[in-house]
Amino acid sequence: MTREELFQWVKQEYGTEAEYPWKDSNAVLRRADNDKWYGVILSVAGSKLELEDDNIIDVINLKSDPMLIGSLRGQKGYFPAYHMNHKYWISVVLDDQLGDDDVMRLIDESFRLTGKQG
């Protein structure tokens, strides 16, 4: 899933428009009901994710269940969250490494987890 495809999908699914609080290419996806972030899209140098090259890649940081994060880390396309709490957030590469359905399921989970609890 590309950044553009992701933006189209979240607009259709949740009515979310990407916000650009840092005035660069990095974007935030925010819930309308409580203003909490459920996704952060970042352009990151591969070396920051412990990859062997320094090519810039797009990732989305998503909130997830710590047990699921533990099982995903180490698999291709998943990394400890870049600049977020590693226990509750995970970075997911936005390219063709992962199926769109996998990414959409994780976005759904993040949206649910950032909603009002109880």
Side-chain angles (χ1 to χ4, degrees):
M1 175 174 276
T2 66
R3 172 187 285 250
E4 292 77 21
E5 291 168 335
L6 183 143
F7 289 153
Q8 288 174 1
W9 185 76
V10 298
K11 177 154 177 69
Q12 177 184 339
E13 192 71 17
Y14 310 113
T16 302
E17 294 278 353
E19 298 176 22
Y20 295 88
W22 303 288
K23 311 291 189 247
D24 58 14
S25 66
N26 300 314
V28 171
L29 302 174
R30 185 187 307 267
R31 290 182 60 105
D33 59 350
N34 63 12
D35 285 337
K36 288 186 179 181
W37 296 359
Y38 68 90
V40 183
I41 298 87
L42 303 164
S43 296
V44 180
S47 62
K48 302 285 185 188
L49 300 172
E50 299 182 12
L51 295 174
E52 292 186 18
D53 62 53
D54 223 18
N55 294 335
I56 303 297
I57 59 173
D58 284 334
V59 298
I60 182 169
N61 285 350
L62 297 166
K63 190 167 189 177
S64 191
D65 178 271
M67 296 286 282
L68 179 60
I69 289 172
S71 69
L72 291 175
R73 273 196 214 143
Q75 291 184 38
K76 190 173 183 174
Y78 300 99
F79 300 93
Y82 182 72
H83 274 303
M84 302 286 276
N85 182 314
H86 293 186
K87 183 176 179 181
Y88 296 103
W89 291 79
I90 190 163
S91 288
V92 180
V93 174
L94 293 176
D95 64 8
D96 59 359
Q97 289 184 50
L98 306 172
D100 290 355
D101 289 342
D102 294 331
V103 175
M104 289 185 285
R105 268 193 298 277
L106 289 169
I107 294 170
D108 277 334
E109 176 76 357
S110 186
F111 189 85
R112 184 185 67 75
L113 289 171
T114 56
K116 294 182 180 175
Q117 304 298 314

